[in-house]
Amino acid sequence: MINNIMEDYIYTAKNQKITVDADDKWRLDQYPWHTTNKGIVARARRVSDPDWYPAGLITMARELFAFPPNNYRIVHINGDKLDCRRSNLKLVTAGESQKIELSRKKCVNEA
């Protein structure tokens, strides 16, 4: 099967390239995105955002997943936090997320 989803890019103020699905670019491109000190792509909450949006920083992954419950996490399957294509994002429980992070750290330490 051929994957017809086209990818596109959004750039942060520091010219970091974020990979997104072309279908999502129009919506995501309206915000100024940056990376946190942990490398997570995020934006500040705007006054014009709906009242139900969370306070503080909003990650691109949570924006794409329409804000799942707080006990869920979104992991980047390939480990690249700048790759925000939907095919690279997976919704998991907090416990599953912790196991994934620990296994990634173990792989890095063994390398």
Side-chain angles (χ1 to χ4, degrees):
M1 183 174 155
I2 297 173
N3 187 352
N4 290 327
I5 298 174
M6 301 288 294
E7 66 183 39
D8 210 332
Y9 306 98
I10 293 175
Y11 292 86
T12 67
K14 293 184 178 179
N15 211 31
Q16 293 170 293
K17 184 167 73 170
I18 304 161
T19 308
V20 298
D21 291 321
D23 289 345
D24 291 321
K25 184 178 175 166
W26 68 271
R27 185 167 58 95
L28 298 171
D29 213 16
Q30 66 183 313
Y31 303 109
W33 296 97
H34 67 277
T35 53
T36 67
N37 58 355
K38 292 184 178 184
I40 298 167
V41 180
R43 70 172 179 88
R45 186 183 190 282
R46 290 182 170 175
V47 174
S48 60
D49 285 336
D51 290 340
W52 54 267
Y53 269 38
L57 291 180
I58 298 171
T59 68
M60 186 177 283
R62 289 187 85 71
E63 178 95 30
L64 287 168
F65 270 82
F67 304 102
N70 286 333
N71 58 331
Y72 282 85
R73 306 289 182 265
I74 301 164
V75 296
H76 292 77
I77 296 167
N78 67 7
D80 180 359
K81 295 177 183 175
L82 297 179
D83 184 351
C84 292
R85 294 172 297 151
R86 289 178 185 267
S87 62
N88 186 47
L89 301 174
K90 182 178 179 183
L91 187 65
V92 298
T93 65
E96 290 171 316
S97 174
Q98 195 170 33
K99 287 178 188 176
I100 291 167
E101 288 300 317
L102 288 173
S103 68
R104 285 185 182 153
K105 287 179 183 177
K106 184 178 178 185
C107 290
V108 169
N109 291 336
E110 289 176 354

